[in-house]
Amino acid sequence: MIKKMTFSVLSACVILSSVPLANAEASTASIDASSKFSYTSQLGKEVLNIDGITYTVDYNYTEDNTTAVITNTLDNSIEIVSYDLTNSTIYYNGKAMSTNGNDRLNALSTQNFAVKADDDFKSIQTGSEKITWAKGITVAALAVMIAVPIAGLGSPGVIAAMGLSGLATIAGGAIGGTVNWDYQRMIIPFVPPIHRYVWSFTASTGDYYGTYIYQP
């Protein structure tokens, strides 16, 4: 079943709920109360509470790599997601889990992106990341995997957009998927440029999630 959401409401949700990790101050939010999800986020760290289980996500940034260590505080199990910027490859527990990271899309199909750059926003870069994962991956780790190619989005932004139930379905019923994004800029005289990501996720089952907007 293809998941569809109202653009205007979802855009606000993603923009307000996503915390750019590179320059974030501490914040707290509760999202999707029916699924019992809340989080706190500050520079380099996220704390996710998903259905009563608390996960800490600790980020380490270098010039060419982002690494996230996801710890389940209930049983102290650890998952590690890293993103190598030199070859645009995502790793899960040390194993490469993505391909085609450097493939640039010549055009965005209307099937994959309902929101295109308009007269105000101009597309400056598009890309995709095809990822896979092992059975048993947690929703927290999957959210991080989807988030890392999009600078600053963070796992709370992915959960806010796609929902816990959607991510749980993907984690349990799919073996991979593709993150597509379009990085856009709007120029307004006498003010700094405004940037945003338009992104979506297509699971290996064919289910489509999007289109979402994240504004750093």
Side-chain angles (χ1 to χ4, degrees), residues 15-212:
I15 292 171
L16 292 175
S17 300
S18 303
V19 179
L21 296 176
N23 57 9
E25 297 180 357
S27 64
T28 305
S30 179
I31 304 171
D32 195 6
S34 63
S35 297
K36 298 181 181 179
F37 169 64
S38 63
Y39 77 93
T40 62
S41 182
Q42 58 186 5
L43 183 62
K45 187 181 184 70
E46 297 165 349
V47 179
L48 311 175
N49 190 290
I50 301 175
D51 289 333
I53 299 176
T54 299
Y55 299 85
T56 61
V57 186
D58 294 289
Y59 290 87
N60 180 61
Y61 303 96
T62 65
E63 184 177 352
D64 55 10
N65 184 274
T66 296
T67 299
V69 179
I70 303 108
T71 303
N72 179 330
T73 62
L74 183 64
D75 60 13
N76 292 319
S77 59
I78 291 175
E79 298 167 282
I80 300 176
V81 174
S82 61
Y83 185 46
D84 189 335
L85 300 175
T86 60
N87 57 16
S88 295
T89 300
I90 298 173
Y91 295 85
Y92 176 69
N93 291 341
K95 183 178 179 180
M97 290 289 177
S98 69
T99 58
N100 301 325
N102 284 320
D103 286 354
R104 298 305 173 192
L105 308 179
N106 294 324
L108 301 175
S109 70
T110 54
Q111 179 180 0
N112 289 335
F113 284 98
V115 183
K116 294 195 174 194
D118 52 28
D119 291 339
D120 295 321
F121 279 94
K122 303 298 182 183
S123 178
I124 56 178
Q125 187 182 62
T126 60
S128 66
E129 194 84 38
K130 185 177 181 181
I131 59 177
T132 59
W133 52 81
K135 288 184 177 181
I137 189 172
T138 63
V139 167
L142 178 57
V144 172
M145 288 182 70
I146 294 173
V148 289
I150 302 174
L153 175 59
S155 57
V158 172
I159 295 172
M162 300 179 65
L164 283 178
S165 59
L167 286 167
T169 298
I170 295 170
I175 58 173
T178 302
V179 184
N180 291 301
W181 69 88
D182 181 16
Y183 187 49
Q184 302 174 356
R185 175 190 295 149
M186 180 171 63
I187 302 295
I188 301 175
F190 311 115
V191 299
I194 299 173
H195 296 87
R196 72 180 185 182
Y197 284 94
V198 177
W199 67 279
S200 68
F201 181 80
T202 303
S204 59
T205 56
D207 290 343
Y208 175 79
Y209 297 78
T211 300
Y212 311 117

Side-chain angles (χ1 to χ4, degrees), residues 4-12 211:
K4 297 181 180 178
M5 294 187 178
T6 302
F7 164 75
S8 59
V9 174
L10 187 57
S11 299
T211 300

